Amino acid sequence: GAVVSQHPSRVICKSGTSVKIECRSLDFQATTMFWYRQFPKQSLMLMATSNEGSKATYEQGVEKDKFLINHASLTLSTLTVTSAHPEDSSFYICSARGVGLEKLFFGSGTQLSVL
Amino acid sequence: KQEVTQIPAALSVPEGENLVLNCSFTDSAIYNLQWFRQDPGKGLTSLLLIQSSQREQTSGRLNASLDKSSGRSTLYIAASQPGDSATYLCAVRRGQAGTALIFGKGTTLSVSS
């Protein structure tokens, strides 16, 4: 099956710093990428949708200036959490969809801890 | 707005039992429904995908059913094993192109040996 690689798997940073999370589709072209966030014991909540070469569409309540999404190529999307604060500590996971693929494929997730 | 609910939130069973996890969704206009498994701190493993035109899908000891008109799906796990312990997530997709999955909160299953 299709593989989505997400890095890093875990990151600890100080408050105020920026963190970049990468999501790569290894064996297919990801025309659409979805970024989710999951707080403990909660469901995955969609943050934004990005199509290659276009600006991301953010869900209501998600700050686009804080969560910068870049989808510059068909195999790479990045999420940058700018000026991270402790309340941004969460599990972030990407999902990719390729042309002709029915399923959405998920990365392994990134656990972000902001001190 | 689509909402997905999963019942129960947690379930503990002894090894060998058959069990059913429930999922309901408020908008029956779905494209497909997927069941996932999530281990603590890990990503998602897709278990079964049911298209809106299908009634069920089977994979090994897993069987998922879909009743789109009533907004319900069930995941049946036969002869449960300790290795089945995980959180099971149900997710629905509204459209084909460019639409995300909407997830339920999951059912956390614990199978004791």
Side-chain angles (χ1 to χ4, degrees), chain B residues 24-60:
Chain B
S24 61
F25 45 95
T26 54
D27 186 348
S28 62
I30 63 170
Y31 182 72
N32 61 35
L33 181 147
Q34 237 174 307
W35 282 93
F36 294 88
R37 169 185 173 138
Q38 185 178 29
D39 292 284
K42 300 290 179 64
L44 305 181
T45 300
S46 179
L47 298 174
L48 291 164
L49 181 148
I50 310 177
Q51 299 291 357
S52 62
S53 59
Q54 298 175 323
R55 298 286 289 183
E56 66 177 343
Q57 283 286 326
T58 298
S59 175

Side-chain angles (χ1 to χ4, degrees), chain A residues 25-83:
Chain A
S25 56
L26 298 185
D27 51 2
F28 68 101
Q29 293 183 325
T31 51
T32 305
M33 287 277 200
F34 304 98
W35 287 93
Y36 290 85
R37 178 169 56 183
Q38 184 181 35
F39 291 107
K41 298 190 183 300
Q42 297 297 313
S43 182
L44 280 77
M45 297 300 295
L46 180 66
M47 299 175 66
T49 301
S50 73
N51 293 296
E52 184 267 336
S54 304
K55 288 185 178 180
T57 302
Y58 290 80
E59 296 298 302
Q60 191 173 10
V62 178
E63 299 175 58
K64 63 179 181 180
D65 294 330
K66 181 170 184 64
F67 299 98
L68 302 179
I69 292 173
N70 184 286
H71 191 174
S73 78
L74 284 171
T75 59
L76 174 65
S77 178
T78 60
L79 167 67
T80 301
V81 183
T82 62
S83 187

Side-chain angles (χ1 to χ4, degrees), chain B residues 12-91:
Chain B
S12 293
V13 300
E15 182 176 7
E17 272 205 11
N18 303 324
L19 56 101
V20 175
L21 308 182
N22 297 290
C23 172
S24 61
F25 45 95
T26 54
D27 186 348
S28 62
I30 63 170
Y31 182 72
N32 61 35
L33 181 147
Q34 237 174 307
W35 282 93
F36 294 88
R37 169 185 173 138
Q38 185 178 29
D39 292 284
K42 300 290 179 64
L44 305 181
T45 300
S46 179
L47 298 174
L48 291 164
L49 181 148
I50 310 177
Q51 299 291 357
S52 62
S53 59
Q54 298 175 323
R55 298 286 289 183
E56 66 177 343
Q57 283 286 326
T58 298
S59 175
R61 294 183 293 109
L62 305 179
N63 176 277
S65 69
L66 173 64
D67 184 343
K68 200 176 80 161
S69 61
S70 67
R72 296 178 187 276
S73 176
T74 61
L75 178 67
Y76 175 82
I77 302 177
S80 58
Q81 303 171 356
D84 295 330
S85 298
T87 296
Y88 290 81
L89 299 170
C90 167

